[in-house]
Amino acid sequence: MRSYLLVICCLVGALGGTHGQTAPTPTKHQLALQDMEMYAFIHYSLNTYTDQEWGYGNEDVKLFNPSKLDCRQWVRTCKNAGMKGIIFTAKHHCGFCMWPSAYTDYSVKSAPWKSGKGDVVRELADACREYGLKFAVYLSPWDRNHPEYGRPAYVTYFRNQLRELLTNYGEVFEVWFDGANGGNGWYGGADETRTIDRLTYYQWGDTYKMIRELQPHCVIWNDGADRRGDLRWVGTEAGNIGETNWSMLNSTGDVTWPMLHYGVENGDVWCPGETNTSIRPGWFYHDSENGHVKSLSKLMDTYYKSVGRNSTLLLNFPIDKDGLIHAEDSIRGAVFYQMVRKIFDHPLKAKRKLSPTVSTLTFKRPTAFNRLMVGEDIRQGQRVKKFKVEALIGGKWTELHDIISEEPQRSMTTIGRKRILCFPTTETTQIRLTILDSKATPVIAAMNAYLAPDIDADTPENGEKLSSNYNIFFPGSGSPVQSMYIGLGKQMTVRKFRFLPSQDTKEGMPLDYMLSISSDDGKTWTVLAHGEFSNIVNNPIWQTVNCTPGTGSLLKLDCSRITSGNRIFYADLEVVE
């Protein structure tokens, strides 16, 4: 027995912690939220009819009169996209309320829709219950319509509206408060700029207490408040969280970019990341974005960089002017979930051995795989700091690196509830996960391997076949040429290339391009096309490049001029066979 205890003590010491170490752990409500993995945002307001992202607060309520509003269609669409719940923008920054609030006339009760008798929040909450999805609300703290915004009276108004939403529509799984606060607005006719102290003005402590009393099972999302919420923003709306991602923050002090994106390794409260992004460039519906719905490849990349990095995914579906989710969004969402299920509903059969130091999957015969999912038992906290993955190939152990990593040669860090690693398709008889460093004795709860298709396909109306299983990486920045490489997954003939620049920043926009292809892993290159991206800075829409057809497995996009910075930024891309 003494020898056994000595081995355990040595093992624990080598891993840098003790099993009984005190550390933050999730509440049962945070666990339930993380188990949902994916849920939907729905943005809908007067902005939909004014073609704006942020309303000014003086928009005419008579604009709200959708002809086909159908919340059941919204819920069916979200369910088909794999979403387990919906968070609805009950009130955005313009102050227009999507329910008949007793505290303002700036709501659906003053709109011509259903002669002022309608209640979008009610219809959506009921539809969610009918289809088995959870329901939640977004209430903007900033209100550009209310005359008292910036003064104490508005805080009372804000809480009164929150109380309405939390008492009249059944159970909600989350309350979402946007971080935008103060600025110019209409403010009841006072066309002016108002500022607040975001840490003190809303008196979040009292608001949180009210939420806990009214909805004891919900979690609170809040950015930069004087009280920590249950979830954190990840610092970007681009659809990704850090490869290193701790589910902790410090209970006091401001939260800056690195903490948002990567968490805090030794934080003293459990506060996991929630990755929010939209299926379109904007949060609200715009006719001009009908051709810019994110591709399957981009949605899968988002999945790997959110759910696959110990985060949840909050994916937005905007409502169009008729009161429906547009067909393009609906179809793309369904195709996305079909691909997630096609891959992850079918783990490869293997003999599994899980341990605190070395876990293995052993196959009866050489088996091809390109995805590995591992997970910790986060009920006991998040512990793994560093690990490596190896495959037994030809009788030798070969270390594998995540091909969607921003730094693919760096040692892999953090696991958390779920970590999905993407590798080149590899045939092996055994996979080995080795924990190199941890905060306490690791508790590995899950490990499975999968084989994702080399080429997935969208099916647009013109019948083009789109490669959508890209491996994208950037070499060290060179001068004056900036490059990005796109691994296609197999040999294919490229006839057309589409590039969508970043929708969040003008930094890193390519002003010209040279597209080349290689069939021998970059040893030789054939130029397919070169030219200029005209007006890309002022009009950052999809750029289509017709190519001289060329065959290969690796593309390279070279740019001799970019707007600023030292690398290309992009929102999406498509390759057409």
Side-chain angles (χ1 to χ4, degrees):
M1 177 63 73
R2 290 182 61 189
S3 299
Y4 174 78
L5 291 175
L6 179 61
V7 170
I8 293 295
C9 290
C10 290
L11 172 62
V12 170
L15 291 171
T18 63
H19 186 78
Q21 176 177 325
T22 301
T25 56
T27 66
K28 62 180 180 180
H29 309 308
Q30 288 173 318
L31 277 173
L33 190 283
Q34 289 184 262
D35 286 343
M36 290 174 68
E37 292 196 351
M38 298 195 299
Y39 36 99
F41 235 163
I42 286 185
H43 277 64
Y44 189 35
S45 186
L46 293 177
N47 297 352
T48 307
Y49 302 96
T50 58
D51 204 28
Q52 299 178 108
E53 283 291 297
W54 283 9
Y56 196 64
N58 62 350
E59 290 77 19
D60 191 346
V61 296
K62 292 184 174 60
L63 292 171
F64 192 79
N65 192 23
S67 59
K68 301 177 182 178
L69 192 151
D70 184 356
C71 289
R72 298 172 80 250
Q73 185 259 359
W74 307 358
V75 176
R76 288 194 301 268
T77 294
C78 292
K79 188 167 185 175
N80 288 339
M83 306 294 115
K84 301 301 188 294
I86 292 175
I87 302 177
F88 181 56
T89 52
K91 183 187 79 170
H92 204 252
H93 308 326
C94 70
F96 181 73
C97 298
M98 303 296 283
W99 79 101
S101 175
Y103 299 97
T104 181
D105 291 330
Y106 200 55
S107 76
V108 289
K109 70 182 182 183
S110 301
W113 177 63
K114 293 193 172 182
S115 301
K117 303 298 182 183
D119 184 341
V120 184
V121 177
R122 167 67 59 204
E123 292 190 16
L124 181 55
D126 290 347
C128 283
R129 278 189 288 273
E130 178 182 351
Y131 285 93
L133 267 62
K134 295 184 178 182
F135 177 68
V137 292
Y138 163 121
L139 184 68
S140 172
W142 184 24
D143 190 318
R144 298 174 100 178
N145 171 269
H146 199 276
E148 295 300 315
Y149 182 79
R151 305 174 183 132
Y154 172 77
V155 177
T156 300
Y157 168 81
F158 175 69
R159 287 194 187 134
N160 284 336
Q161 290 196 319
L162 183 58
R163 183 177 293 275
E164 286 182 316
L165 292 172
L166 299 185
T167 56
N168 296 332
Y169 299 96
E171 184 171 312
V172 303
F173 73 89
E174 184 172 338
V175 178
W176 214 95
F177 299 121
D178 198 288
N181 288 293
N184 62 331
W186 191 72
Y187 300 125
D191 186 0
E192 60 189 23
T193 298
R194 296 184 183 179
T195 59
I196 63 159
D197 182 338
R198 67 185 181 91
L199 295 179
T200 60
Y201 174 63
Y202 297 109
Q203 304 170 45
W204 287 115
D206 291 337
T207 302
Y208 281 18
K209 182 179 179 181
M210 182 182 80
I211 295 171
R212 303 295 188 203
E213 291 172 351
L214 298 176
Q215 292 283 344
H217 302 298
C218 85
V219 294
I220 300 171
W221 189 101
N222 202 354
D223 172 39
D226 58 336
R227 296 292 179 95
R228 288 287 176 266
D230 300 303
L231 302 166
R232 75 176 195 272
W233 184 44
V234 301
T236 176
E237 296 175 352
N240 63 83
I241 197 169
E243 291 175 67
T244 298
N245 176 24
W246 295 100
S247 294
M248 285 82 74
L249 287 179
N250 291 320
S251 56
T252 58
D254 203 3
V255 183
T256 58
W257 156 256
M259 301 175 191
L260 291 170
H261 203 57
Y262 304 104
V264 176
E265 178 180 335
N266 295 311
D268 57 13
V269 293
W270 191 268
C271 194
E274 178 186 81
T275 303
N276 61 318
T277 193
S278 182
I279 201 167
R280 291 171 172 243
W283 291 97
F284 286 91
Y285 174 83
H286 308 284
D287 287 332
S288 61
E289 293 181 356
N290 286 344
H292 302 160
V293 180
K294 288 179 178 174
S295 67
L296 175 58
S297 63
K298 181 60 178 177
L299 289 171
M300 288 304 299
D301 182 69
T302 298
Y303 179 81
Y304 291 131
K305 293 177 179 177
S306 57
V307 175
R309 290 183 178 175
N310 185 38
S311 172
T312 54
L313 172 59
L314 176 57
L315 181 62
N316 180 64
F317 291 83
I319 305 304
D320 68 18
K321 295 176 181 178
D322 288 334
L324 302 171
I325 294 177
H326 193 275
E328 289 290 331
D329 309 52
S330 179
I331 293 170
R332 198 60 56 89
V335 170
F336 161 59
Y337 186 48
Q338 289 169 10
M339 182 54 61
V340 170
R341 294 196 62 182
K342 183 177 182 179
I343 299 170
F344 295 103
D345 281 1
H346 304 284
L348 300 173
K349 292 183 179 179
K351 182 179 179 181
R352 184 183 300 103
K353 180 183 177 182
L354 305 179
S355 82
T357 52
V358 179
S359 298
T360 58
L361 295 175
T362 304
F363 305 98
K364 289 184 177 180
R365 59 186 62 85
T367 301
F369 84 103
N370 52 25
R371 303 288 184 267
L372 183 71
M373 184 278 290
V374 294
E376 296 180 73
D377 182 357
I378 60 171
R379 293 173 300 177
Q380 302 183 54
Q382 185 181 356
R383 302 180 175 194
V384 176
K385 296 174 62 175
K386 185 178 179 181
F387 65 96
K388 67 177 180 179
V389 175
E390 300 165 289
L392 190 61
I393 304 172
K396 295 182 179 180
W397 286 107
T398 301
E399 187 171 353
L400 303 178
H401 298 279
D402 188 350
I403 57 179
I404 65 167
S405 166
E406 283 79 17
E407 299 180 52
Q409 300 307 311
R410 187 181 65 183
S411 296
M412 290 180 281
T413 60
T414 65
I415 292 177
R417 179 189 175 276
K418 178 177 285 190
R419 183 73 186 269
I420 299 174
L421 302 159
C422 301
F423 302 117
T425 301
T426 302
E427 193 170 84
T428 184
T429 54
Q430 194 172 61
I431 302 169
R432 183 167 70 186
L433 169 75
T434 304
I435 307 302
L436 302 175
D437 194 10
S438 68
K439 298 175 62 177
T441 305
V443 185
I444 303 301
M447 181 173 170
N448 283 303
Y450 308 86
L451 181 62
D454 286 333
I455 293 293
D456 310 326
D458 288 338
T459 53
E461 292 180 3
N462 60 13
E464 292 174 338
K465 185 178 180 182
L466 309 179
S467 171
S468 56
N469 191 30
Y470 313 130
N471 306 320
I472 299 169
F473 59 97
F474 297 87
S477 60
S479 181
V481 175
Q482 314 297 321
S483 302
M484 65 183 294
Y485 291 83
I486 304 103
L488 301 177
K490 75 168 189 178
Q491 296 283 325
M492 62 176 289
T493 299
V494 176
R495 304 179 186 279
K496 188 181 295 183
F497 180 77
R498 295 183 180 132
F499 178 88
L500 181 65
S502 173
Q503 304 296 296
D504 301 321
T505 177
K506 292 185 178 181
E507 181 181 356
M509 283 193 178
L511 303 178
D512 59 10
Y513 63 88
M514 182 169 70
L515 186 69
S516 307
I517 197 167
S518 174
S519 60
D520 52 10
D521 296 328
K523 296 176 183 177
T524 57
W525 293 94
T526 301
V527 176
L528 302 182
H530 62 88
E532 180 183 54
F533 287 134
S534 301
N535 199 32
I536 190 173
V537 176
N538 295 322
N539 191 24
I541 61 174
W542 280 100
Q543 310 291 314
T544 300
V545 176
N546 293 311
C547 305
T548 301
T551 302
S553 59
L554 184 65
L555 283 176
K556 180 174 64 168
L557 179 66
D558 290 319
C559 304
S560 63
R561 295 181 297 134
I562 62 175
T563 51
S564 60
N566 59 6
R567 56 159 281 190
I568 301 168
F569 280 63
Y570 75 102
D572 204 353
L573 57 86
E574 293 177 341
V575 180
V576 184
E577 290 187 271

